[in-house]
Amino acid sequence: MALSRTGRLVLAAALALPAAAVAAPAASAAPAHAAHASHGYGAHHYGHGTRYDGGVWGGYVAQGNGFRSVSGSWTMPAVQCNTSNDLFAPWVGIDGYGSQTVEQTGVQVDCSSGSPVYSAWYEMYPAPPQYFNDPVDAGDSFTASVVNSGGSTYTLRITDTTKGWTETTDQQLDGQNVSAEAVIESPSQSYPSFDRLDFSGVTVNGQVFDNYSPQAINSGQYTETSLSNGAFAIVPA
């Protein structure tokens, strides 16, 4: 798990959590519109033995081995910035929970300017996040995916279905493929306020997310509704 961003809180990386058993299905560049310093998402270890509950992550995580693809959709909510430290992102990805690598893509909301600034990004930790130049606004709907096509090659794709743009990038990393996630995250552990964020159509290895018995992770300020057919919501706790 990873972190970073100029002039902002940088969380330190610590020891990884152990991965769980085999993942078999259960029965059955900085954008022109925003000055990005270096943040990091995903492989965050903020203390040996410390769970992700109550702080950095919120959503669902499946653990095991052999995760080769994850995809999902969400709509970005309008947010209220409470402090300049507020920062959060919904994303889908492979690894990051029980591993030292992360392959992920999503959209962040940064309040460091005092107002919410939206931008899309991907990260192949331990490399820093890379930001896309495409415009992003509250209310935009997104579909994103991370696919390991074999070996160390990952294809990351994110589409703003509201504005009609798509970004695709092929990256190389010796990922471990031991977890798959659909989550929200705040590297600063300071979330802005929003009413609701819905994930839908979440699949892993081409199967509905539910089949991998993912565990719920509460962010503290927000909680997740029950997962049903690859869909759940993030709502205030």
Side-chain angles (χ1 to χ4, degrees):
M1 309 191 173
L3 301 169
S4 34
R5 196 146 166 116
T6 302
R8 301 200 31 132
L9 178 64
V10 178
L11 303 180
L15 297 176
L17 298 173
V22 173
S28 229
H33 61 281
H36 289 285
S38 47
H39 262 315
Y41 294 92
H44 304 293
H45 303 289
Y46 51 91
H48 178 58
T50 304
R51 294 183 58 81
Y52 291 67
D53 292 314
V56 175
W57 286 18
Y60 283 91
V61 177
Q63 290 180 275
N65 294 291
F67 293 104
R68 297 296 180 184
S69 70
V70 60
S71 64
S73 301
W74 67 88
T75 297
M76 289 301 295
V79 311
Q80 175 184 329
C81 294
N82 301 308
T83 75
S84 61
N85 199 44
D86 291 350
L87 170 73
F88 100 103
W91 55 265
V92 296
I94 297 172
D95 287 329
Y97 195 96
S99 68
Q100 295 290 346
T101 62
V102 164
E103 308 86 39
Q104 58 186 6
T105 187
V107 176
Q108 76 168 20
V109 183
D110 182 0
C111 289
S112 59
S113 67
S115 299
V117 176
Y118 294 77
S119 53
W121 54 274
Y122 74 90
E123 185 175 4
M124 300 290 289
Y125 182 75
Q130 300 298 311
Y131 296 88
F132 297 117
N133 291 317
D134 309 275
V136 176
D137 292 302
D140 287 3
S141 294
F142 291 87
T143 295
S145 63
V146 177
V147 178
N148 176 220
S149 57
S152 59
T153 300
Y154 291 83
T155 299
L156 302 96
R157 177 176 290 110
I158 186 164
T159 297
D160 185 328
T161 58
T162 301
K163 289 191 167 61
W165 59 256
T166 295
E167 293 285 357
T168 303
T169 181
D170 293 324
Q171 299 292 320
Q172 300 293 313
L173 185 67
D174 291 328
Q176 298 177 13
N177 301 334
V178 295
S179 66
E181 301 87 15
V183 296
I184 62 169
E185 179 178 359
S186 175
S188 64
Q189 298 188 60
S190 180
Y191 283 90
S193 298
F194 61 88
D195 292 333
R196 182 184 179 99
L197 187 151
D198 289 284
F199 279 96
S200 62
V202 182
T203 64
V204 172
N205 291 352
Q207 301 183 49
V208 67
F209 199 21
D210 314 41
N211 287 355
Y212 288 86
S213 300
Q215 68 183 92
I217 303 291
N218 293 321
S219 72
Q221 183 176 346
Y222 294 94
T223 189
E224 62 290 317
T225 63
S226 297
L227 178 67
S228 177
N229 197 31
F232 64 95
I234 300 290
V235 296

